Amino acid sequence: MSEQGQTSGHPMHDQGSDRWSAEFWDDRYRSKPALWSGNANAVVMTETADLPAGRALDVGCGEGGDALWLAGRGWQVLGIDVSQVALERARGHADVAGPEISGRTAWEWRDLLSWTPPAASFDLVSVPFLHLPSALRVPVYAGLAAAVAPGGTLLVVAHHPSDIGVVPRPPEPDLFFTEEDLVAELDDGWEVVTCEARSRAGIHPDGYDVTLHDTVLRAVRRPTR
């Protein structure tokens, strides 16, 4: 997912299928001409605005909103996703944006349940709304954290557990985690810059206003001495 999480129609609501497979997500993207708005995630914009451009990994890049925004700020971005349909759309959006943007972006099919990015390879690893059962999430997130180079940034944005009951969310608490959960999974080689449940306005599917919270973690890998 490459932007602020939706309050309805969330893919985690779908039951009876492998919600993390390529087939599931290809079908999901084919269901609409555009699954997301195309805008970058607000937290990604806020938390990376002061970072010097470098090499970024956009995890679950979807149709490319975050990656294109980062490329527009000078980053060299690798967008990865389990859906080829999403990657084709992202590549198309990059081509439309022109050679300056398309030249700073690359798109690769990757299944994080069987692939781990190369260690210490990225100045930014951005992980927006990647929800997995904890038995899968912990090793996947550890691999993503290991991909951050010394001095680089790990940024995670997710639906906060407190949103359950505020808007429709799957009745599966194991899919959700707090910023403190993430910090506890990091070793002492990190400096935590942002660690909060960040509020934002949302709209319930029934039409009334709600306040939602996102789990936000921004951490910097300490330089190697």
Side-chain angles (χ1 to χ4, degrees):
M1 186 181 296
S2 58
E3 61 186 86
Q4 217 76 15
Q6 295 180 325
T7 58
S8 62
H10 197 282
M12 288 192 296
H13 285 290
D14 295 275
Q15 303 294 328
S17 62
D18 184 350
R19 291 167 288 172
W20 299 281
S21 70
E23 293 79 10
F24 175 88
W25 281 101
D26 281 344
D27 288 344
R28 175 86 177 163
Y29 277 100
R30 289 191 189 104
S31 70
K32 295 181 180 181
L35 195 56
W36 315 117
S37 72
N39 300 322
N41 180 280
V43 174
V44 173
M45 291 190 289
T46 299
E47 294 295 324
T48 64
D50 62 345
L51 299 180
R55 180 164 165 77
L57 177 66
D58 182 15
V59 178
C61 64
E63 292 157 329
D66 288 355
L68 297 179
W69 185 84
L70 289 167
R73 298 182 65 83
W75 290 84
Q76 293 286 335
V77 187
L78 173 60
I80 62 170
D81 205 284
V82 75
S83 171
Q84 288 283 13
V85 177
L87 292 168
E88 290 167 7
R89 291 180 183 176
R91 188 176 293 108
H93 294 323
D95 290 342
V96 169
E100 186 173 350
I101 298 298
S102 63
R104 294 195 189 115
T105 55
W107 314 96
E108 294 182 3
W109 182 91
R110 298 294 183 187
D111 183 348
L112 289 172
L113 301 186
S114 59
W115 175 83
T116 302
S121 296
F122 298 93
D123 303 298
L124 169 66
V125 174
S126 178
V127 192
F129 299 102
L130 177 62
H131 289 267
L132 298 166
S134 59
L136 298 176
R137 178 184 62 79
V138 171
V140 167
Y141 273 53
L144 294 173
V148 179
T153 294
L154 172 68
L155 176 61
V156 179
V157 192
H159 297 301
H160 195 271
S162 64
D163 284 355
I164 299 175
V166 177
V167 291
R169 293 278 188 256
E172 301 174 66
D174 191 44
L175 291 175
F176 304 94
F177 47 89
T178 68
E179 61 281 6
E180 288 88 357
D181 293 332
L182 295 174
V183 170
E185 293 164 11
L186 296 176
D187 59 31
D188 60 4
W190 294 86
E191 176 186 354
V192 176
V193 178
T194 304
C195 178
E196 64 177 291
R198 184 170 300 176
S199 63
R200 60 181 171 91
I203 301 176
H204 191 276
D206 291 337
Y208 56 86
D209 295 337
V210 294
T211 298
L212 302 175
H213 292 84
D214 292 330
T215 295
V216 180
L217 174 72
R218 174 181 166 191
V220 176
R221 183 179 290 283
R222 300 183 193 280
T224 303
R225 294 181 179 179

